[in-house]
Every structure is written in C-alpha cells, then in structure tokens.
Amino acid sequence: MIRNCLLCGVGGQGTVLASKLISAAAMQRGDDVRTAETIGMAQRGGCVVSHVRIGRDIHSPMIPLGQAQIILAFEPAEAARCLPYLVPGGTVVVNRKAVQPVTATLSGKPYDAQAVLDYLAAQVENLVVLDGDAVCAQCGSPRVLNVALLGAAAQSGALGLTCEELSAAIMQRVKPQFHSLNLQALALGAQAAEKELSHEDEAGTV
Amino acid sequence: MAKTFLMGNEAIALGAIHAGVQLVSGYPGTPSTEVLETVAKENPGHIHVEWSVNEKAALEVAAGASYAGARVMVTMKQVGLNVASDPLMSLVYVGIEGGMVLVVADDPGPISSQTEQDTRHFARFAKLPVFDPSSPEEAYAMVREAFEVSEKYHTPVILRPTTRVCHGCATLETQPALPARPVPGFGKDSSRWVIFPRLSNANHKKIEAYLPQLGKEFCESPFNRLSGFGRRGIAAGGIAYEYLMEALGENTDVRVLKIGTPHPFPASLAVEFMTGLDEVLVLEELDGVIERELTVLCGRYHLRTKILGKASGHAPCAGELSVEIARELAEAFLTGSEAAVPLPNPPPLPVRPPVLCAGCPHRASFYAVKKAMEGKKAVFSGDIGCYTLGNAQPLDMTDTCLCMGAGVTIAQGLQAVEPDAVHFAFIGDSTFFASGITGVVNAVYNQHDMVLVVLDNSTTAMTGHQPHPGTGRSAMGEIAGRIDIEKVLEALGVCSIQTVDPLDHKLAVEAVRFAAGIPGVRVIVFRSPCVAIAHPNIPFRVNERCVGCQKCIRELGCPALVLQDGKAAIEPSLCAGCGLCARICPAHAIGGVEA
Ligand code: SF4
Ligand code: SF4
C-alpha cells in the first residue's frame, strides 16, 4: 500500500523540514520513501509544495492527482489550490491563518480566507482546522507551525505515523537546543486536532 | 549495502565520492547547487572542492586536474554550460586523462531559470556522451558509469539530471567506495595538450570513430531497455519515463523503450524496439531529442513506424510533463483508466509571485534609488539573483534582465544611444565576481556614462547562500582569500565609489543623488547582509499613531506589512526588524518594541 502525503504552503513557512521529518519517521520504520520538493525562486514567498510518497515500487516522485490520503496545508488558499490531489474521502489538516500575498495587500483586496475555509469544509470529508498562531504563541516561537501541523496530522490517523514516531524523527533531525520546543509543538498540535475531531463526532457533521 | 534517504543531488555527490572523485568545482545554480555542497559536506578529506568564480573557470580548473590524471566533477545549471562552452568545445578535441563528469542540471518549466534549453542537444553539438537519469537511484549509478566511459574514451561526459530528479528524494542503496587512487601526475606532451589545427583535425576523426562504437555499447547498457508487449510503443527518457510507468501501472500491453543515454543514441536497440510497431509515442521533457533520433532511424532503416511527439503536435512543446499528461497522452494504449471526478471551483485564490523577503536589504536599495530618481529619466538594468525580484510592484525597479552579468553592459549600450537618461545597472556581489568585472572594464575603457549599483549582501542568496570571493570563506568552509569589491573597482579606474548601508535611507538617497549628478562610471556599493542568514532583529510594531495613509504598504511591498481595518499592521512572524518602514512613515507610527 502506498501512502501519499502532500504538504503545501508559502515559501518560508517550513514545509521542507516537515516533509523531511515525515520521511525520516517512515524510513525509521523500514519503509521506502520518495519525495519531491520545491526549491528555487518560489521559496521567496511563492507557492511551495512537497510530495511525500511512502511504500514500495513507486515511480513518480510527484503524487498523481486524486491520490493523496492527506494534505498538510500551511495556509488556506494553498489547501484549496492543492485539493485536486486529495483522494475522495481524504483528510486535510489546514492552518487557519491566511498569508496575504503582497500583490493582494497592494491592491487593497485581500483574498477572502473565510470563504476558502468554508469551501474546504464543504468539499473535504475529514477537515482539521488548526489555530497555528495559538500553538506558536503557547510555544513562544513563530517557527513551530510545521511541527504543530505534523502533530495534528498524526492525531488524525491519516498520516499513518504516530506522534511517537515523529518525536523520534525530531530527536534525530533537529538540533538538540530545539528538541523540547518542537516536541511541545507536536503535542499541542495533536491536542488541538483531538479536540476538533471529537467535536466533529459529537456534531455528526462539519 | 547501506540504505539511505537521499536527494537526487546528494545521490550524485555520493556517487562521485564513491567513484573516487578527487576534485569537484562548480558554480551555484538551481537545480544543481546541492551536488557540490554535498561533496563539501561529505568530503572524506582528500577531495579538493571549490566554488569557482564562474562555470568557465570551474571547467578549466577541473580540466587541469584531469590532465594530471585525477578524477574530476564539474557542476552547474544548464545556462551555466553556456558560460563553460568555450573551454568545453575545445576540451572534447584535446581529450582528458582522469575521468571527467560534468553535471549539468536542466530545468523544465522552467521553474528557476531563464531558458528551457536542453543539454542533450549540447552534448550532441559538442560530441559528448550524455547520461539522462530518471531517478536519484539511477543518477547515483550513472555517475560511476560516466567516469568509466570518460576514462575509456578520454572524453568529458555529461550527466544531465532535471529538476525533479535533482530535488526528488528516494531511499537508495549505495555501493562501497572505490579505493583511493594516487594521482599519476601531469605527463608533459605538447603534441597532446596543446591544441593546434592539425591536432584538432586528427582528433575530430577519432571522435567520429568512437562515438558510434560507444552507441553500440550503450545498446547493452542497463540504462537503456525494452519492456512490455504489443504493436504500439512508447519511448521515454528522464523523469518522463517514471511518469509513464506510474501511469501504466500493471499494464504491460504496450512496448516501452527507456533511453538513459540520448547521445550517442543506442540505435540498434531502438530499431529492435520499433520493428513491427505501427506507432510510437515519445514522452520527453524540453526538446524532441529522442523523437528526432527515432525519426531519423525510421528513414535510415526504411521502417514504417509512425513517430508521434512534439513535432507531430501530440506532445506539449514546452513546460513540464506529469503523470496526468503521460496518462492522457498514452490513453490510446491503455485500458480501464478512470477519469477523476472534477471538484467544484474554489473561491478566487490569490496569485503568489515570489517576492524579496521581509527585511531584505535589496528592497531598501531599490527604494533609495527610486526615491532619488523620482521625476527624472532613468533606466534600471537588472541582473540574475534575488534582486531580479526588484521588478515586482510596488518597487518596479528592474527594466531588463538577460543573463549573468549582462546588466552592466546592457546599460552601456542603452546609454550610447539614449544619453539623456541616467543608466543604472544593479548587480549582486556574487554576480559581480562571476561576470560583472569585465563589464566594468568595458565601461571604463570605452568611457561610458553609468551608475553601477553593487548590491552586496555578503552571500549568493538565491541559490541558498553559498560563499563567493568577497566573503572570505571557501566551499570547504575554510578562511579564504577575500577580494575587496571597492579595491577592485578602484583599480579598474571608476571615477567615484561610495559605500553605504541601504537601510540608512537618508544617506542612501543622498549617495544616489550624488552619483546621478556626475559623469563617468560611478559606483555605489550598498552593503547590508541578507536577512535570511543574518540574525533578524526584534519585529517592529505599528502603534495607534498610524493614520492609515498606507504609504509603507504602497511604496515598500514588504510581505510583513499587511492591511488591518484600514491601518497598517506588521506580521510579527515575518518582520525582520530592518526598520525601513519606520524610517519612511510620515506619522512616525512604526517603531521597535518600545514604540
Ligand atoms: S521593519 Fe518594516 S520593512 Fe522591515 S521587515 Fe519589518 S515590516 Fe518589513
Ligand atoms: S534571501 Fe536574502 S537576498 Fe534573497 S530576498 Fe531574502 S533577504 Fe533578500
């Protein structure tokens, strides 16, 4: 079985490290991994996408459309942009906060992030909206959004990796002075998702 | 065998280390940069690694080491090969001693390049063997083979990965490293190493003799192979082959020819593939190189196979391929492929062109020049680097961009025929060393009238912050000879040099006004480190004094400045605390934390 995970966001948000952590965790379990990253000009505030594919005999480094079991979106508009990659019934974990491109700010017409979140809620069966700002504030660092999203993704079950496996990857790949900060963000991300998911169960709808 | 998770570029680097490479030189360029960086990082100690000043220098340094029998590798992106083409064309005729592999990364799309040029053509033009990997695993294996071929035929060999191979990661098994080999040393022989017309004539014949021979050998290579059955066929190379295999899945009802060595072409294998086939579809990115080879073979061997591809309008002539495109094109050969259910359209999504980072000193430099030249006739020639992004609104300060170093010289041509405008050329520090200096020599010598603005952020930022001759550090991380940009300019005889911190807005504007007002070749060096490597300052904040004029937003275009309820606000996770917005706010509403 192949597990496909797509990460998308805005250049500078830390998608590459998140994809590296997923890959490291999967490798540690003995799985083969194939990935594709966006490196280059787009890293300066453009749209960036990382494809992570876990399993044997995978040819393309890019996930074919409609085959990602989970999308980790660092930004609502990027989630909507990448939605065609999602398998029917798949899971999307999205950070609530919009990043307005300079062009939108300049024109005085910021894009309507709430409309995009509503669209996601209507199209996605399993949607987890994470308040990344709150987690970052709790951790005291704006740089842990990526790991918080990983925690939420692990909690959703669609990533196929546990928080323990991701913690081990963090210990292995992140500089020691940032271990506790990242482990805290991972746990807070998981907690937030747990709340949201149980809330969904009670309500029966999204 | 050890299993590791490697990016394509890392796999190439390890492939070279394990093949006993002794010198690696190159110039940064997306998507090739990580190859040399990885060799530097994984250097067992005996490899000389260097960021050369440009691709031509890199190739010549490597040629020297190869003459003495060392195994060498040179890395660059496709447009870098244009710079290195002068030594390369001749080197093919002279030949080499120690194996030489040129890693030239192509960029279909293009994603981070000026052109979609195809290095496979270049290999043919220069009469060089070329390997075209479809995955990091294959790239790793090809490096070793490329060294063997290089030494067997005394020719440089090109390895041409494309972006998706360079920046894709895979789990792969590495081979044990070959035992280190002593460098035999340079054998003096002027009849071999000094190129003269007579030598070129003789060696040209040798090249034409060994290329077909190598083409035959390539028919047996594991990198070229046949699979599948049926009366229709698909030929593919590079990443397109992997897209095709993904699209085909379990389907073996089509014959597939994989080409891993597009030049010299494995002709007899291709003829075997086409024999009995009615139609062949060719899947390849960039130009129709395989397509043309197959078409020629059909003519030569009187085959009736129809070749479908770019020339016939069956495949897109530009841009990247994907699994979806491969599937769509191969549809006729497939059974039971399911069409995806389309999603309803999302609400309008914002476009996201790349921009200068929040706090980037280039923004301050461009803004100072813009302010100083307001209402005056001026042309702004740009160059290659992060600062090309100075073209974006609201700065709009890049009127031309062609290739590395061209801004300096284009400004001179413009000035010669349009002398009533002030002609500015912007160049980054790394580009200045790579190919800007000759342009300055030209300007002084030919008495052009221009303002050169050196945007010195002490790094090669766009490609991921490599050192360069002005940084005082080398690729091996050692303290290196530091070359002083101002001293170079002084020696070249420019008439005025000012060095200014662009974040000091008032001083910066004054410097530009002064330079614009005098004749000759004048230079301003705007020096301030790239924020992506400098420690960011504490984020600035907008206080209640903000009157909502939006001057900061409208004039700077800093991504950290956003509009909130009609007033400016600063996104703390992005702001680097450069203070530029605070300096221009007419209401003094922006300040550090205490404000
Ligand atoms: S201080 Fe102002 S201009 Fe500088 S990074 Fe922060 S918001 Fe942008
Ligand atoms: S990486 Fe450095 S040079 Fe490039 S845009 Fe960012 S701050 Fe400017």
Side-chain angles (χ1 to χ4, degrees):
Chain A
M1 140 109 188
I2 296 174
R3 188 164 297 265
N4 294 316
C5 169
L6 189 112
L7 300 95
C8 57
V10 178
Q13 281 190 307
T15 47
V16 178
L17 177 64
S19 103
K20 285 230 163 87
L21 290 173
I22 296 174
S23 306
M27 287 261 313
Q28 225 154 35
R29 218 171 45 187
D31 286 330
D32 282 353
V33 185
R34 195 175 283 285
T35 72
E37 302 287 357
T38 312
I39 298 175
M41 210 158 214
Q43 285 177 298
R44 313 265 175 274
C47 308
V48 292
V49 180
S50 300
H51 300 250
V52 183
R53 313 194 64 193
I54 303 167
R56 293 211 181 275
D57 300 322
I58 296 171
H59 287 282
S60 168
M62 329 267 286
I63 303 168
L65 293 179
Q67 291 190 21
Q69 285 91 351
I70 182 164
I71 294 179
L72 263 74
F74 289 55
E75 208 275 345
E78 298 317 307
R81 218 190 292 281
C82 290
L83 208 53
Y85 283 101
L86 193 68
V87 80
T91 299
V92 174
V93 178
V94 60
N95 179 33
R96 178 182 298 282
K97 165 89 149 294
V99 176
Q100 294 294 346
V102 170
T103 41
T105 308
L106 274 178
S107 68
K109 288 191 209 82
Y111 89 86
D112 186 349
Q114 192 51 51
V116 172
L117 286 169
D118 293 345
Y119 168 80
L120 290 173
Q123 301 306 325
V124 178
E125 231 161 274
N126 303 300
L127 180 70
V128 177
V129 182
L130 182 79
D131 189 346
D133 268 6
V135 176
C136 288
Q138 248 177 299
C139 295
S141 161
R143 309 238 166 265
V144 292
L145 172 64
N146 48 9
V147 176
L149 281 166
L150 282 183
Q155 186 66 36
S156 78
L159 188 59
L161 290 165
T162 63
C163 278
E164 289 67 44
E165 286 166 326
L166 289 168
S167 303
I170 289 172
M171 304 299 279
Q172 187 200 348
R173 310 281 314 209
V174 176
K175 281 192 194 144
Q177 65 262 43
F178 299 119
H179 281 176
S180 64
L181 176 69
N182 280 289
L183 294 182
Q184 188 193 2
L186 189 75
L188 287 172
Q191 262 175 35
E194 194 185 358
K195 253 191 234 153
E196 177 135 345
L197 289 165
S198 64
H199 177 74
E200 238 170 66
D201 286 346
E202 280 161 29
T205 55
V206 186
Chain B
M1 255 24 40
K3 254 196 173 185
T4 29
F5 185 60
L6 295 173
M7 183 192 277
N9 281 343
E10 294 171 332
I12 293 168
L14 283 191
I17 294 176
H18 296 166
V21 77
Q22 287 151 313
L23 178 142
V24 181
S25 52
Y27 188 77
T30 312
S32 71
T33 315
E34 297 83 2
V35 177
L36 192 141
E37 286 183 320
T38 306
V39 179
K41 205 168 89 200
E42 304 290 333
N43 191 350
H46 64 274
I47 306 173
H48 174 88
V49 191
E50 71 168 55
W51 285 124
S52 304
V53 70
N54 61 29
E55 293 86 352
K56 171 173 148 70
L59 182 64
E60 290 156 352
V61 166
S66 160
Y67 286 0
R71 281 199 162 181
V72 300
M73 182 165 78
V74 193
T75 75
M76 63 193 75
K77 69 183 296 179
Q78 87 285 44
V79 290
L81 185 58
N82 301 340
V83 177
S85 65
D86 193 10
L88 181 63
M89 296 303 290
S90 305
L91 188 60
V92 179
Y93 278 70
V94 168
I96 48 92
E97 183 59 29
M100 175 188 264
V101 176
L102 266 72
V103 179
V104 184
D106 279 354
D107 185 20
I111 300 175
S112 287
S113 304
Q114 304 98 294
T115 70
E116 269 200 291
Q117 71 190 61
D118 192 323
T119 297
R120 296 175 302 166
H121 281 312
F122 214 116
R124 216 188 118 122
F125 170 55
K127 304 185 187 301
L128 283 178
V130 58
F131 287 81
D132 183 12
S134 67
S135 65
E137 296 92 314
E138 202 176 45
Y140 177 83
M142 279 179 169
V143 178
R144 194 172 287 202
E145 184 57 25
F147 275 113
E148 297 297 329
V149 168
S150 171
E151 280 172 2
K152 181 168 176 193
Y153 291 103
H154 294 285
T155 177
V157 172
I158 294 179
L159 176 75
R160 183 215 61 150
T162 55
T163 307
R164 300 299 178 185
V165 174
C166 292
H167 291 162
C169 300
T171 312
L172 61 94
E173 274 173 30
T174 55
Q175 302 287 315
L178 295 177
R181 182 175 87 161
V183 176
F186 180 59
K188 289 197 184 192
D189 179 357
S190 64
S191 68
R192 180 173 174 195
W193 299 122
V194 182
I195 196 164
F196 270 114
R198 213 155 57 106
L199 177 70
S200 302
N201 181 279
N203 284 358
H204 188 184
K205 288 176 189 144
K206 285 187 198 158
I207 295 168
E208 298 301 346
Y210 73 61
L211 281 176
Q213 170 59 31
L214 181 55
K216 274 196 202 122
E217 285 171 31
F218 277 162
C219 292
E220 311 295 324
S221 161
F223 305 127
N224 300 311
R225 56 182 184 265
L226 297 175
S227 60
F229 313 94
R231 288 184 62 83
R232 291 184 171 195
I234 304 180
I239 192 75
Y241 171 76
E242 303 296 343
Y243 292 154
L244 172 67
M245 296 318 275
E246 181 92 29
L248 289 178
E250 311 277 282
N251 191 331
T252 52
D253 227 12
V254 51
R255 296 188 77 184
V256 175
L257 170 66
K258 177 192 179 297
I259 295 293
T261 64
H263 186 259
F265 201 69
S268 53
L269 183 74
V271 170
E272 183 191 333
F273 162 69
M274 289 191 289
T275 306
L277 293 183
D278 303 329
E279 281 184 350
V280 167
L281 172 71
V282 188
L283 287 180
E284 57 191 322
E285 291 180 323
L286 303 175
D287 294 333
V289 172
I290 299 173
E291 181 182 343
R292 187 172 291 203
E293 294 282 2
L294 294 181
T295 308
V296 168
L297 287 173
C298 282
R300 186 171 300 150
Y301 294 94
H302 307 290
L303 301 177
R304 310 188 52 179
T305 317
K306 222 162 120 191
I307 308 296
L308 311 178
K310 293 169 192 273
S312 65
H314 286 83
C317 64
E320 285 195 278
L321 295 179
S322 64
V323 175
E324 288 72 31
I325 296 176
R327 178 174 295 139
E328 204 185 302
L329 295 179
E331 197 93 291
F333 306 87
L334 295 174
T335 41
S337 74
E338 51 202 289
V341 195
L343 285 164
N345 282 337
L349 299 177
V351 284
R352 247 184 236 292
V355 289
L356 294 171
C357 297
C360 175
H362 297 333
R363 177 174 292 104
S365 302
F366 284 126
Y367 184 65
V369 177
K370 184 171 185 163
K371 278 291 161 197
M373 298 311 292
E374 232 163 18
K376 301 196 183 81
K377 189 167 176 191
V379 183
F380 308 108
S381 293
D383 221 299
I384 307 280
C386 279
Y387 52 98
T388 314
L389 297 173
N391 76 319
Q393 295 295 341
L395 292 170
D396 188 17
M397 284 294 287
T398 303
D399 295 326
T400 75
C401 178
L402 185 67
C403 67
M404 291 283 287
V408 189
T409 20
I410 283 182
Q412 297 165 34
L414 282 166
Q415 179 268 333
V417 295
E418 201 183 276
D420 61 328
V422 184
H423 291 275
F424 284 83
F426 292 94
I427 193 166
D429 40 351
S430 189
T431 309
F432 175 80
F433 289 111
S435 51
I437 296 175
T438 43
V440 182
V441 173
N442 195 67
V444 174
Y445 171 59
N446 290 303
Q447 302 191 325
H448 284 283
D449 218 322
M450 66 174 296
V451 182
L452 176 69
V453 180
V454 182
L455 303 169
D456 182 359
N457 61 359
S458 306
T459 186
T460 315
M462 181 50 102
T463 46
H465 307 99
Q466 289 72 35
H468 62 65
T471 60
R473 275 178 306 113
S474 74
M476 301 206 265
E478 292 159 358
I479 304 296
R482 195 184 88 79
I483 297 164
D484 190 302
I485 294 178
E486 284 89 333
K487 285 212 179 109
V488 171
L489 290 164
E490 218 176 279
L492 295 183
V494 305
C495 71
S496 134
I497 304 169
Q498 303 176 78
T499 302
V500 189
D501 177 357
L503 292 171
D504 192 333
H505 180 62
K506 244 182 87 196
L507 264 185
V509 172
E510 271 164 30
V512 179
R513 286 211 179 107
F514 173 77
I518 57 171
V521 181
R522 309 81 90 181
V523 184
I524 302 167
V525 179
F526 278 132
R527 183 165 290 134
S528 181
C530 165
V531 286
I533 49 167
H535 282 291
N537 294 322
I538 295 166
F540 274 50
R541 282 204 331 226
V542 182
N543 61 34
E544 63 295 336
R545 284 199 290 271
C546 175
V547 292
C549 70
Q550 296 178 31
K551 176 172 174 178
C552 56
I553 292 176
R554 272 186 293 107
E555 300 204 343
L556 297 181
C558 171
L561 285 165
V562 292
L563 192 60
Q564 223 168 58
D565 308 322
K567 293 193 172 184
I570 289 175
E571 170 54 44
S573 66
L574 289 176
C575 173
C578 75
L580 182 64
C581 54
R583 287 202 162 92
I584 70 155
C585 172
H588 304 290
I590 307 178
V593 262
E594 69 285 354

